[in-house]
Amino acid sequence: MTNPLISVKHLKKDFGGNEVLKDINGDIDAGQVVCIIGPSGSGKSTLLRCINQMERPTSGVVDFNGVDLAQQSDQELAKLGEQIGMVFQSFNLFPNMSVVANLKLAPMRVKGMSDEEATAVAMKYLTSVGLADKADAFPNSLSGGQKQRVAIARALAMQPKVLFFDEPTSALDPENVGEVLKVMQSLADGNMTMVVVTHEMHFAKQVADEIWFMADGVIQEKNTPAELFDHPQNPKTQDFISKVLVD
């Protein structure tokens, strides 16, 4: 039995007196795709941010590749953070820099790559998301779907061990959603470890190895997509599934 890449144990997060995450436990194996679903306000995005330490948990353990992130200094976390890619719903691209410059920035500054090396890496990943022809374009000239694909390529350029996605399609027009999900599907097919907070139920059902259903700051149910969507056990899961369209 191999050790999980990420192991979350008794994770809690309070904001003031508001307990947002209550005793979260879960393992994520290398190469696994975990989709986190649930109603708005259930703590999904906070869980993602606590696992990657963008938010420091109030208590509990987040073990990443054998290291408890909660016990690391900011400097140590920054080094470990190179192995964890994050894709946000709002792209977070630098508008004053070309697409290729956006991708080269972190590999050069953080990893110390030469300009030539970083350019080669950037072009590799722009090609993988179908946007090599946009290398010299600026973000404001791109559609939302193209911006999100650039954001995915930028995360990949750091060659992380895991990619986190926080509702990556929620800010997109409907016609742009498919192109982003197609890239994510190809990453899953290539055994990229992925943790995806999503409202795209069809994507979750097709791509995830495991679904975590969250409500009220708790993982109410975990299962394979087939079991969770077709035979939900928890009453809160049953109620949620009955309200979302899953084909």
Side-chain angles (χ1 to χ4, degrees), residues 130-178:
L131 289 172
D133 61 326
K134 298 293 185 182
D136 295 323
F138 283 80
N140 288 345
S141 71
L142 305 179
S143 70
Q146 289 171 331
K147 288 177 186 173
Q148 194 60 292
R149 284 189 282 154
V150 170
I152 292 170
R154 180 181 58 181
L156 289 169
M158 289 296 284
Q159 298 166 317
K161 284 189 162 65
V162 59
L163 266 185
F164 288 171
F165 294 83
D166 189 3
E167 299 187 13
T169 60
S170 65
L172 301 181
D173 293 329
E175 65 268 22
N176 295 148
V177 170

Side-chain angles (χ1 to χ4, degrees), residues 101-211:
N102 266 278
L103 266 72
K104 286 160 52 177
L105 185 64
M108 290 174 69
R109 281 199 183 168
V110 178
K111 289 194 162 185
M113 284 187 190
S114 67
D115 183 78
E116 185 179 16
E117 190 181 7
T119 300
V121 168
M123 292 310 300
K124 172 186 173 181
Y125 289 110
L126 281 177
T127 301
S128 75
V129 300
L131 289 172
D133 61 326
K134 298 293 185 182
D136 295 323
F138 283 80
N140 288 345
S141 71
L142 305 179
S143 70
Q146 289 171 331
K147 288 177 186 173
Q148 194 60 292
R149 284 189 282 154
V150 170
I152 292 170
R154 180 181 58 181
L156 289 169
M158 289 296 284
Q159 298 166 317
K161 284 189 162 65
V162 59
L163 266 185
F164 288 171
F165 294 83
D166 189 3
E167 299 187 13
T169 60
S170 65
L172 301 181
D173 293 329
E175 65 268 22
N176 295 148
V177 170
E179 66 192 63
V180 173
L181 295 181
K182 187 176 177 183
V183 167
M184 293 170 67
Q185 171 80 64
S186 71
L187 290 173
D189 292 343
N191 285 326
M192 169 60 76
T193 311
M194 293 160 55
V195 186
V196 185
V197 171
T198 185
H199 291 296
E200 300 287 343
M201 295 301 138
H202 180 69
F203 173 81
K205 190 171 187 179
Q206 295 295 116
V207 177
D209 298 300
E210 187 171 64
I211 306 277

Side-chain angles (χ1 to χ4, degrees), residues 25-26 58 64 71 73-74 86 89 98 101-102 114 119 156 161 167 171 184 186 189 191 203 207 212 221-222 237:
N25 297 276
T58 303
F64 175 69
Q71 302 302 315
S73 68
D74 288 345
M86 184 81 179
Q89 49 184 301
S98 69
N102 266 278
S114 67
T119 300
L156 289 169
K161 284 189 162 65
E167 299 187 13
M184 293 170 67
S186 71
D189 292 343
N191 285 326
F203 173 81
V207 177
W212 295 2
E221 188 167 349
K222 290 181 202 154
T237 317

